[in-house]
Coordinates of all heavy atoms in Angstrom, one line a residue:
M5 N -55.5 63.7 43.7 CA -55.2 63.6 42.3 C -54.8 64.9 41.8 O -55.5 65.9 42.0 CB -56.4 63.0 41.6 CG -56.3 62.9 40.1 SD -57.7 62.1 39.3 CE -58.7 61.4 40.6
K6 N -53.6 65.0 41.1 CA -53.1 66.2 40.5 C -52.5 66.0 39.2 O -52.1 64.9 38.8 CB -52.1 66.8 41.5 CG -52.7 67.2 42.8 CD -51.6 68.0 43.6 CE -52.2 68.2 45.0 NZ -52.5 69.5 45.3
I7 N -52.4 67.1 38.4 CA -51.7 67.0 37.1 C -50.2 67.1 37.5 O -49.8 68.0 38.3 CB -52.2 68.1 36.2 CG1 -53.6 67.8 35.7 CG2 -51.2 68.2 35.0 CD1 -54.2 68.7 34.7
S8 N -49.4 66.3 36.8 CA -48.0 66.3 37.0 C -47.4 67.7 36.7 O -47.8 68.4 35.8 CB -47.3 65.3 36.1 OG -45.9 65.4 36.1
D9 N -46.4 68.1 37.5 CA -45.7 69.4 37.3 C -44.9 69.3 36.0 O -44.5 70.4 35.5 CB -44.7 69.6 38.4 CG -45.4 69.9 39.7 OD1 -46.6 70.2 39.7 OD2 -44.8 69.7 40.8
K10 N -44.8 68.2 35.4 CA -44.1 68.0 34.1 C -44.9 68.4 32.9 O -44.4 68.5 31.8 CB -43.5 66.6 34.0 CG -42.5 66.2 35.0 CD -42.0 64.8 34.8 CE -41.1 64.5 35.9 NZ -40.6 63.1 35.8
Y11 N -46.2 68.6 33.1 CA -47.2 68.8 32.0 C -48.0 70.0 32.3 O -48.2 70.4 33.4 CB -48.1 67.6 31.8 CG -47.3 66.4 31.3 CD1 -46.8 65.5 32.1 CD2 -47.1 66.2 29.9 CE1 -46.1 64.4 31.6 CE2 -46.4 65.1 29.4 CZ -45.9 64.2 30.3 OH -45.2 63.2 29.8
M12 N -48.5 70.6 31.2 CA -49.5 71.7 31.3 C -50.5 71.5 30.2 O -50.3 70.8 29.2 CB -48.8 73.0 31.1 CG -48.1 73.2 29.7 SD -47.3 74.8 29.6 CE -46.3 74.5 28.1
I13 N -51.7 72.0 30.5 CA -52.8 72.0 29.5 C -52.9 73.3 28.9 O -52.8 74.4 29.5 CB -54.1 71.7 30.2 CG1 -54.0 70.3 30.9 CG2 -55.3 71.7 29.3 CD1 -55.2 70.0 31.8
C14 N -52.9 73.3 27.5 CA -53.0 74.6 26.8 C -53.9 74.5 25.6 O -54.2 73.4 25.1 CB -51.6 75.1 26.4 SG -50.7 74.0 25.3
E15 N -54.4 75.7 25.2 CA -55.3 75.7 24.1 C -54.5 76.4 23.0 O -53.9 77.4 23.1 CB -56.6 76.5 24.4 CG -57.6 76.5 23.3 CD -58.9 77.1 23.7 OE1 -59.4 76.9 24.9 OE2 -59.5 77.8 22.9
I16 N -54.6 75.7 21.8 CA -53.9 76.3 20.6 C -55.0 76.2 19.5 O -55.5 75.2 19.1 CB -52.7 75.4 20.2 CG1 -51.7 75.3 21.4 CG2 -52.0 76.0 19.0 CD1 -50.6 74.3 21.2
V17 N -55.3 77.4 19.0 CA -56.3 77.6 17.9 C -57.6 76.8 18.2 O -58.0 76.0 17.3 CB -55.6 77.2 16.5 CG1 -56.5 77.6 15.4 CG2 -54.3 77.7 16.3
G18 N -58.1 77.0 19.3 CA -59.4 76.3 19.7 C -59.3 74.9 20.0 O -60.4 74.3 20.3
E19 N -58.2 74.3 20.0 CA -58.0 72.9 20.4 C -57.2 72.8 21.7 O -56.3 73.6 21.9 CB -57.3 72.1 19.3 CG -57.9 72.1 18.0 CD -59.2 71.3 17.9 OE1 -59.4 70.4 18.8 OE2 -60.0 71.5 17.0
T20 N -57.5 71.8 22.6 CA -56.8 71.7 23.8 C -55.8 70.5 23.8 O -56.1 69.5 23.2 CB -57.8 71.4 25.0 OG1 -58.8 72.5 24.9 CG2 -57.2 71.5 26.3
Y21 N -54.6 70.8 24.3 CA -53.5 69.8 24.3 C -52.9 69.7 25.7 O -53.0 70.6 26.5 CB -52.4 70.3 23.4 CG -52.9 70.4 21.9 CD1 -53.5 71.5 21.4 CD2 -52.6 69.3 21.1 CE1 -53.9 71.6 20.1 CE2 -53.0 69.4 19.7 CZ -53.7 70.5 19.3 OH -54.1 70.6 18.0
I22 N -52.3 68.5 26.0 CA -51.5 68.4 27.1 C -50.1 68.3 26.6 O -49.8 67.5 25.7 CB -51.9 67.2 28.0 CG1 -51.1 67.2 29.3 CG2 -51.7 65.8 27.3 CD1 -51.8 66.4 30.4
V23 N -49.2 69.2 27.2 CA -47.9 69.4 26.6 C -46.9 69.3 27.7 O -47.1 69.9 28.8 CB -47.8 70.8 26.0 CG1 -46.5 71.1 25.4 CG2 -48.9 71.0 24.9
P24 N -45.7 68.7 27.5 CA -44.7 68.7 28.5 C -44.2 70.1 28.7 O -44.1 70.9 27.8 CB -43.6 67.8 27.9 CG -44.2 67.1 26.7 CD -45.4 67.9 26.3
R25 N -43.8 70.4 29.9 CA -43.3 71.8 30.2 C -42.0 72.0 29.6 O -41.7 73.2 29.2 CB -43.2 72.0 31.7 CG -44.6 72.1 32.4 CD -44.5 72.7 33.8 NE -45.8 72.7 34.4 CZ -46.7 73.7 34.2 NH1 -46.4 74.8 33.5 NH2 -47.9 73.7 34.8
D26 N -41.2 71.0 29.4 CA -39.9 71.1 28.7 C -40.0 70.8 27.2 O -39.1 70.2 26.6 CB -38.9 70.3 29.4 CG -39.2 68.8 29.3 OD1 -40.3 68.4 28.9 OD2 -38.3 68.0 29.7
F27 N -41.1 71.1 26.6 CA -41.5 70.8 25.2 C -40.4 71.3 24.3 O -40.1 72.5 24.2 CB -42.8 71.4 24.9 CG -43.3 71.3 23.5 CD1 -43.4 70.1 22.9 CD2 -43.6 72.4 22.8 CE1 -43.8 69.9 21.6 CE2 -44.0 72.3 21.5 CZ -44.1 71.1 20.9
D28 N -40.0 70.4 23.4 CA -39.1 70.7 22.3 C -39.9 70.6 21.1 O -40.4 69.6 20.7 CB -37.9 69.7 22.3 CG -37.0 69.9 21.1 OD1 -37.2 70.9 20.3 OD2 -36.0 69.2 21.1
K29 N -40.0 71.7 20.4 CA -40.9 71.8 19.2 C -40.6 70.8 18.1 O -41.4 70.5 17.3 CB -40.9 73.2 18.7 CG -41.5 74.2 19.6 CD -41.4 75.6 19.1 CE -42.0 76.6 20.1 NZ -41.7 78.0 19.9
K30 N -39.4 70.3 18.2 CA -38.9 69.3 17.2 C -39.6 67.9 17.5 O -39.6 67.0 16.6 CB -37.4 69.2 17.2 CG -36.7 70.4 16.8 CD -35.3 70.3 16.9 CE -34.6 71.6 16.6 NZ -33.2 71.6 16.9
D31 N -40.0 67.7 18.7 CA -40.6 66.4 19.1 C -42.1 66.5 19.4 O -42.5 66.6 20.6 CB -39.8 65.8 20.3 CG -40.3 64.4 20.7 OD1 -41.0 63.8 19.9 OD2 -39.8 64.0 21.8
M32 N -42.9 66.4 18.4 CA -44.3 66.6 18.6 C -45.0 65.3 19.1 O -46.1 65.3 19.5 CB -45.0 66.9 17.2 CG -44.6 68.3 16.7 SD -45.1 69.6 17.8 CE -46.9 69.6 17.5
S33 N -44.2 64.2 19.3 CA -44.8 63.0 19.7 C -45.3 63.1 21.2 O -46.1 62.3 21.6 CB -43.8 61.8 19.6 OG -42.7 62.0 20.5
K34 N -44.8 64.0 21.9 CA -45.2 64.1 23.3 C -46.3 65.1 23.5 O -46.8 65.2 24.6 CB -44.0 64.6 24.1 CG -42.8 63.6 24.0 CD -41.9 63.7 25.2 CE -40.7 62.9 24.9 NZ -40.7 61.7 25.7
V35 N -46.8 65.7 22.5 CA -48.0 66.6 22.5 C -49.2 65.8 22.2 O -49.3 65.1 21.2 CB -47.8 67.8 21.5 CG1 -49.1 68.6 21.5 CG2 -46.6 68.6 21.9
K36 N -50.2 65.8 23.1 CA -51.4 65.0 22.9 C -52.6 65.9 22.9 O -52.9 66.8 23.7 CB -51.6 64.1 24.1 CG -50.4 63.1 24.4 CD -50.3 62.1 23.2 CE -49.1 61.2 23.6 NZ -48.7 60.4 22.5
K37 N -53.4 65.8 21.8 CA -54.6 66.5 21.6 C -55.7 65.9 22.5 O -55.8 64.6 22.5 CB -55.1 66.5 20.2 CG -56.3 67.3 19.9 CD -56.7 67.3 18.4 CE -58.0 68.0 18.2 NZ -58.3 67.8 16.8
L38 N -56.4 66.7 23.2 CA -57.5 66.2 24.1 C -58.9 66.4 23.5 O -59.1 67.4 22.8 CB -57.4 67.0 25.4 CG -56.1 66.9 26.2 CD1 -56.2 67.8 27.4 CD2 -55.8 65.4 26.6
T39 N -59.7 65.4 23.7 CA -61.1 65.5 23.3 C -61.8 66.5 24.3 O -61.2 66.8 25.3 CB -61.8 64.2 23.4 OG1 -61.9 63.7 24.7 CG2 -61.2 63.1 22.5
E40 N -63.0 66.9 23.9 CA -63.8 67.8 24.8 C -64.0 67.1 26.2 O -63.8 67.8 27.2 CB -65.1 68.1 24.1 CG -65.9 69.1 24.8 CD -67.2 69.5 24.1 OE1 -67.1 69.6 22.8 OE2 -68.2 69.7 24.8
S41 N -64.3 65.8 26.2 CA -64.5 65.1 27.5 C -63.2 65.0 28.3 O -63.2 65.2 29.5 CB -65.1 63.7 27.2 OG -66.3 63.8 26.6
A42 N -62.1 64.7 27.6 CA -60.8 64.6 28.3 C -60.4 66.0 28.9 O -60.0 66.0 30.0 CB -59.8 64.1 27.4
T43 N -60.7 67.0 28.1 CA -60.4 68.4 28.6 C -61.2 68.7 29.9 O -60.7 69.2 30.9 CB -60.7 69.4 27.5 OG1 -59.9 69.1 26.4 CG2 -60.5 70.8 28.0
E44 N -62.5 68.3 29.8 CA -63.4 68.6 31.0 C -62.9 67.8 32.2 O -62.9 68.3 33.3 CB -64.8 68.2 30.7 CG -65.8 68.5 31.8 CD -67.3 68.2 31.4 OE1 -67.6 67.9 30.2 OE2 -68.1 68.4 32.3
I45 N -62.5 66.6 32.0 CA -62.0 65.7 33.2 C -60.8 66.4 33.8 O -60.7 66.6 35.0 CB -61.7 64.3 32.7 CG1 -63.1 63.6 32.4 CG2 -60.9 63.5 33.8 CD1 -62.9 62.3 31.6
L46 N -59.8 66.7 32.9 CA -58.6 67.3 33.4 C -58.8 68.7 34.0 O -58.1 69.0 35.0 CB -57.5 67.3 32.3 CG -57.0 66.0 31.9 CD1 -56.0 66.1 30.7 CD2 -56.4 65.2 33.0
Q47 N -59.7 69.4 33.5 CA -60.0 70.7 34.1 C -60.6 70.6 35.5 O -60.3 71.4 36.4 CB -61.0 71.5 33.2 CG -60.3 72.1 32.0 CD -61.3 72.8 31.1 OE1 -62.5 72.5 31.1 NE2 -60.7 73.6 30.2
E48 N -61.4 69.5 35.7 CA -61.9 69.2 37.1 C -60.7 68.9 38.0 O -60.7 69.3 39.2 CB -62.9 68.1 37.1 CG -64.2 68.5 36.5 CD -65.0 69.5 37.3 OE1 -64.8 69.6 38.5 OE2 -65.9 70.2 36.7
V49 N -59.7 68.2 37.5 CA -58.6 67.9 38.4 C -57.8 69.1 38.7 O -57.5 69.3 39.9 CB -57.6 66.9 37.6 CG1 -56.3 66.7 38.4 CG2 -58.3 65.5 37.4
V50 N -57.7 70.0 37.8 CA -57.0 71.3 38.0 C -57.8 72.1 39.1 O -57.2 72.8 39.9 CB -56.9 72.1 36.7 CG1 -56.5 73.6 37.0 CG2 -55.9 71.5 35.8
R51 N -59.1 72.0 39.0 CA -59.9 72.7 40.0 C -59.9 72.1 41.4 O -60.4 72.7 42.4 CB -61.4 72.7 39.6 CG -61.7 73.6 38.4 CD -63.2 73.7 38.0 NE -63.3 74.2 36.7 CZ -63.7 73.6 35.6 NH1 -64.0 72.3 35.7 NH2 -63.8 74.2 34.5
G52 N -59.2 71.0 41.6 CA -59.0 70.4 42.9 C -59.8 69.2 43.3 O -60.0 69.0 44.5
V53 N -60.3 68.5 42.4 CA -61.0 67.3 42.7 C -60.1 66.4 43.6 O -59.0 66.2 43.3 CB -61.5 66.5 41.4 CG1 -62.0 65.1 41.8 CG2 -62.5 67.3 40.7
D54 N -60.7 65.9 44.7 CA -59.9 65.1 45.7 C -59.8 63.6 45.3 O -58.8 63.0 45.8 CB -60.5 65.2 47.0 CG -60.5 66.6 47.6 OD1 -59.5 67.3 47.3 OD2 -61.5 67.1 48.2
S55 N -60.8 63.1 44.6 CA -60.8 61.6 44.5 C -61.4 61.2 43.1 O -62.1 62.0 42.5 CB -61.6 60.9 45.6 OG -62.9 61.3 45.5
L56 N -61.2 60.0 42.7 CA -61.8 59.5 41.5 C -63.3 59.5 41.6 O -64.0 59.9 40.7 CB -61.3 58.0 41.2 CG -62.0 57.4 40.0 CD1 -61.7 58.1 38.7 CD2 -61.5 55.9 39.9
E57 N -63.8 59.2 42.8 CA -65.3 59.2 43.0 C -65.9 60.6 42.8 O -66.9 60.7 42.2 CB -65.6 58.6 44.4 CG -65.3 57.1 44.5 CD -63.8 56.8 44.8 OE1 -63.0 57.7 45.1 OE2 -63.4 55.7 44.5
Q58 N -65.2 61.5 43.4 CA -65.7 62.9 43.3 C -65.6 63.4 41.8 O -66.5 64.0 41.3 CB -64.8 63.9 44.1 CG -65.4 65.3 44.1 CD -64.5 66.2 44.9 OE1 -63.3 66.0 45.2 NE2 -65.1 67.3 45.4
L59 N -64.6 63.0 41.1 CA -64.4 63.3 39.7 C -65.5 62.7 38.9 O -66.2 63.3 38.0 CB -63.0 62.9 39.2 CG -62.7 63.1 37.7 CD1 -62.8 64.6 37.4 CD2 -61.4 62.5 37.4
Q60 N -65.8 61.4 39.1 CA -66.9 60.7 38.4 C -68.2 61.4 38.7 O -69.0 61.6 37.7 CB -66.9 59.2 38.8 CG -65.7 58.4 38.3 CD -65.6 57.1 39.0 OE1 -65.8 56.9 40.2 NE2 -65.3 56.1 38.2
R61 N -68.5 61.7 39.9 CA -69.7 62.4 40.3 C -69.9 63.7 39.5 O -70.9 64.0 39.0 CB -69.8 62.6 41.8 CG -71.1 63.0 42.3 CD -71.2 62.9 43.8 NE -70.0 63.4 44.6 CZ -69.1 62.6 45.2 NH1 -69.3 61.3 45.2 NH2 -68.1 63.1 45.8
R62 N -68.8 64.5 39.5 CA -68.9 65.8 38.8 C -69.1 65.7 37.3 O -69.9 66.5 36.7 CB -67.6 66.6 39.1 CG -67.5 67.2 40.5 CD -66.4 68.2 40.6 NE -66.3 68.7 41.9 CZ -65.4 69.6 42.3 NH1 -64.6 70.1 41.4 NH2 -65.4 70.0 43.5
I63 N -68.4 64.7 36.7 CA -68.6 64.5 35.3 C -70.0 64.0 35.0 O -70.7 64.5 34.1 CB -67.5 63.6 34.7 CG1 -66.1 64.1 34.9 CG2 -67.8 63.2 33.3 CD1 -65.9 65.5 34.2
C64 N -70.5 63.1 35.8 CA -71.9 62.6 35.6 C -72.9 63.8 35.7 O -73.8 63.9 35.0 CB -72.2 61.5 36.6 SG -71.5 59.9 36.1
D65 N -72.6 64.6 36.7 CA -73.5 65.8 37.0 C -73.5 66.8 35.8 O -74.5 67.3 35.4 CB -73.2 66.5 38.3 CG -73.5 65.6 39.5 OD1 -74.3 64.6 39.4 OD2 -73.1 66.0 40.6
S66 N -72.3 67.0 35.3 CA -72.1 68.0 34.2 C -72.9 67.5 32.9 O -73.3 68.3 32.2 CB -70.7 68.2 33.9 OG -70.1 67.2 33.2
Y67 N -72.9 66.2 32.8 CA -73.7 65.6 31.6 C -75.2 65.4 32.0 O -75.9 64.9 31.1 CB -73.1 64.3 31.1 CG -71.8 64.5 30.4 CD1 -70.6 64.2 30.9 CD2 -71.8 65.0 29.1 CE1 -69.4 64.4 30.2 CE2 -70.7 65.2 28.3 CZ -69.4 64.9 28.9 OH -68.3 65.0 28.2
E68 N -75.5 65.7 33.2 CA -76.9 65.5 33.7 C -77.3 64.0 33.4 O -78.4 63.7 32.9 CB -77.9 66.5 33.0 CG -77.6 67.9 33.4 CD -78.5 68.9 32.8 OE1 -79.4 68.5 32.0 OE2 -78.3 70.1 33.0
A69 N -76.4 63.1 33.7 CA -76.6 61.7 33.4 C -77.7 61.1 34.3 O -77.8 61.4 35.5 CB -75.3 60.9 33.6
E70 N -78.5 60.3 33.6 CA -79.6 59.5 34.3 C -78.9 58.4 35.0 O -77.7 58.0 34.7 CB -80.6 59.0 33.3 CG -81.3 60.1 32.5 CD -82.2 61.0 33.4 OE1 -82.8 60.4 34.3 OE2 -82.3 62.2 33.1
D71 N -79.6 57.8 36.0 CA -79.0 56.6 36.7 C -78.5 55.5 35.8 O -77.5 55.0 36.0 CB -80.1 56.1 37.7 CG -80.3 57.0 38.9 OD1 -79.4 57.9 39.2 OD2 -81.4 56.9 39.5
S72 N -79.2 55.3 34.7 CA -78.9 54.2 33.8 C -77.6 54.5 33.0 O -76.9 53.6 32.6 CB -80.0 53.9 32.8 OG -80.3 55.1 32.1
E73 N -77.2 55.8 32.9 CA -76.0 56.2 32.2 C -74.8 56.3 33.1 O -73.7 56.3 32.6 CB -76.3 57.5 31.5 CG -77.4 57.5 30.5 CD -77.9 58.9 30.2 OE1 -77.9 59.8 31.0 OE2 -78.1 59.1 29.0
R74 N -75.0 56.5 34.4 CA -73.9 56.9 35.3 C -72.8 55.8 35.3 O -71.6 56.1 35.3 CB -74.5 57.2 36.7 CG -75.2 58.5 36.7 CD -75.7 58.8 38.1 NE -74.8 59.5 38.9 CZ -74.6 60.8 38.8 NH1 -75.4 61.6 38.0 NH2 -73.8 61.4 39.6
G75 N -73.2 54.5 35.3 CA -72.2 53.5 35.4 C -71.2 53.5 34.2 O -70.0 53.4 34.4
A76 N -71.7 53.7 33.0 CA -70.9 53.8 31.8 C -69.9 55.0 31.9 O -68.8 54.9 31.5 CB -71.7 53.8 30.6
I77 N -70.5 56.1 32.3 CA -69.7 57.3 32.4 C -68.6 57.2 33.4 O -67.4 57.5 33.2 CB -70.6 58.6 32.6 CG1 -71.4 58.8 31.4 CG2 -69.7 59.8 33.0 CD1 -72.5 59.9 31.6
E78 N -69.0 56.6 34.6 CA -68.0 56.4 35.7 C -66.9 55.5 35.2 O -65.7 55.7 35.5 CB -68.7 55.8 36.9 CG -69.6 56.9 37.6 CD -70.5 56.3 38.7 OE1 -70.5 55.0 38.8 OE2 -71.2 57.0 39.4
Q79 N -67.2 54.4 34.5 CA -66.2 53.5 34.0 C -65.3 54.2 33.0 O -64.1 54.0 33.0 CB -66.9 52.3 33.3 CG -65.9 51.3 32.7 CD -65.0 50.7 33.8 OE1 -65.4 50.5 35.0 NE2 -63.9 50.2 33.4
S80 N -65.8 55.0 32.1 CA -65.0 55.8 31.1 C -64.1 56.7 31.8 O -62.9 56.8 31.4 CB -65.9 56.5 30.1 OG -66.6 55.7 29.3
V81 N -64.5 57.4 32.8 CA -63.7 58.3 33.6 C -62.6 57.5 34.2 O -61.4 58.0 34.2 CB -64.5 59.1 34.6 CG1 -63.6 59.9 35.5 CG2 -65.5 60.1 33.9
A82 N -62.9 56.4 34.9 CA -61.9 55.6 35.5 C -60.8 55.1 34.6 O -59.6 55.2 34.9 CB -62.5 54.4 36.2
V83 N -61.2 54.7 33.4 CA -60.3 54.2 32.4 C -59.4 55.4 31.9 O -58.1 55.2 31.8 CB -61.0 53.6 31.2 CG1 -60.1 53.4 30.0 CG2 -61.6 52.3 31.6
F84 N -60.0 56.5 31.7 CA -59.2 57.7 31.2 C -58.2 58.1 32.3 O -57.0 58.4 32.0 CB -60.1 58.9 30.9 CG -59.3 60.1 30.5 CD1 -58.7 60.2 29.3 CD2 -59.3 61.2 31.4 CE1 -58.0 61.3 28.9 CE2 -58.6 62.3 31.0 CZ -57.9 62.4 29.8
V85 N -58.6 58.1 33.6 CA -57.7 58.5 34.7 C -56.5 57.5 34.8 O -55.4 57.9 34.9 CB -58.5 58.6 36.0 CG1 -57.5 58.7 37.2 CG2 -59.4 59.9 36.0
K86 N -56.8 56.2 34.7 CA -55.8 55.2 34.7 C -54.8 55.4 33.6 O -53.6 55.4 33.8 CB -56.4 53.8 34.6 CG -55.4 52.7 34.7 CD -56.1 51.4 34.7 CE -55.0 50.3 34.8 NZ -55.6 48.9 34.7
Q87 N -55.3 55.7 32.4 CA -54.4 56.0 31.3 C -53.5 57.2 31.5 O -52.3 57.2 31.2 CB -55.2 56.2 30.0 CG -55.8 54.9 29.5 CD -56.7 55.2 28.3 OE1 -57.2 56.3 28.1 NE2 -57.0 54.1 27.5
C88 N -54.1 58.2 32.1 CA -53.3 59.4 32.4 C -52.3 59.2 33.4 O -51.1 59.7 33.3 CB -54.3 60.6 32.8 SG -55.2 61.3 31.5
M89 N -52.6 58.4 34.4 CA -51.6 58.0 35.4 C -50.4 57.2 34.8 O -49.3 57.4 35.1 CB -52.2 57.3 36.6 CG -53.1 58.2 37.4 SD -53.8 57.4 38.8 CE -54.3 58.8 39.8
Q90 N -50.8 56.3 33.9 CA -49.8 55.4 33.3 C -48.9 56.3 32.4 O -47.7 56.0 32.3 CB -50.4 54.3 32.4 CG -51.0 53.3 33.3 CD -51.9 52.2 32.5 OE1 -52.3 52.5 31.3 NE2 -52.1 51.1 33.1
E91 N -49.4 57.3 31.8 CA -48.7 58.2 30.9 C -47.9 59.2 31.7 O -47.0 59.9 31.2 CB -49.6 59.0 29.9 CG -50.2 58.1 28.9 CD -49.3 57.6 27.8 OE1 -48.3 58.3 27.5 OE2 -49.5 56.5 27.3
G92 N -48.2 59.4 33.0 CA -47.5 60.3 33.8 C -48.1 61.7 33.9 O -47.5 62.6 34.4
Y93 N -49.3 61.8 33.3 CA -50.0 63.1 33.3 C -50.6 63.5 34.7 O -50.6 64.6 35.1 CB -51.1 63.2 32.3 CG -50.7 62.9 30.9 CD1 -51.5 62.2 30.0 CD2 -49.4 63.3 30.3 CE1 -51.2 61.9 28.7 CE2 -49.1 63.0 29.0 CZ -50.0 62.3 28.2 OH -49.6 62.0 26.9
L94 N -51.0 62.4 35.3 CA -51.6 62.6 36.7 C -50.9 61.7 37.7 O -50.3 60.7 37.3 CB -53.1 62.1 36.6 CG -54.1 62.8 35.8 CD1 -55.4 62.1 35.8 CD2 -54.2 64.3 36.2
Y95 N -51.0 62.1 38.9 CA -50.5 61.3 40.0 C -51.4 61.4 41.2 O -52.3 62.3 41.2 CB -49.1 61.7 40.4 CG -48.9 63.1 41.0 CD1 -49.0 63.3 42.3 CD2 -48.7 64.2 40.1 CE1 -48.8 64.6 42.9 CE2 -48.5 65.4 40.7 CZ -48.6 65.6 42.0 OH -48.4 66.9 42.5

C-alpha cells in the first residue's frame, strides 16, 4: 500500500491536508483536510506499512487499544483505507 504519486501530505498552519501535486490554487475542491486519526494512518503508510492488517495493528497499538476496542478500530481503518483508494490517494 502506497500513497499515490499524484498526492502529497502537507501541514499548513498546524492542520494536515492531502493535496494534489499539480494543485491549482483556484481549485480548492481537491484539497482535503485530514483529521488527526487520518493523518496518523497516512503517516504509517508513508513509513512503509506493507498491508492493511499491519496498518490496523499499528493503529490499534498506537491507541493502546484493549481487545474489546480493536475490532471497531480495525473496521474504521479498513473503511478509511477503502475510501482513500476510491479517491485515488492510495493504491
Side-chain angles (χ1 to χ4, degrees):
M5 175 178 343
K6 296 188 186 248
I7 292 185
S8 170
D9 293 339
K10 296 179 182 180
Y11 291 91
M12 62 183 168
I13 298 171
C14 61
E15 189 172 317
I16 304 168
V17 192
E19 302 288 343
T20 307
Y21 297 84
I22 190 159
V23 180
R25 289 196 182 273
D26 63 351
F27 174 57
D28 179 357
K29 294 176 185 167
K30 296 176 188 172
D31 185 9
M32 293 298 289
S33 68
K34 301 204 187 255
V35 174
K36 304 292 182 193
K37 182 178 176 184
L38 300 174
T39 65
E40 188 175 321
S41 296
T43 299
E44 184 174 354
I45 291 167
L46 291 177
Q47 287 174 338
E48 287 294 338
V49 172
V50 168
R51 288 184 194 110
V53 167
D54 295 324
S55 66
L56 176 59
E57 294 78 18
Q58 184 182 24
L59 179 60
Q60 290 168 319
R61 192 170 40 254
R62 283 193 184 180
I63 296 302
C64 285
D65 290 348
S66 75
Y67 284 106
E68 298 178 358
E70 300 293 326
D71 288 338
S72 60
E73 302 166 318
R74 290 182 88 84
I77 293 171
E78 289 170 355
Q79 179 64 28
S80 293
V81 170
V83 167
F84 177 73
V85 167
K86 182 178 179 182
Q87 290 172 340
C88 286
M89 289 183 167
Q90 289 172 341
E91 292 288 331
Y93 304 145
L94 297 177
Y95 65 93

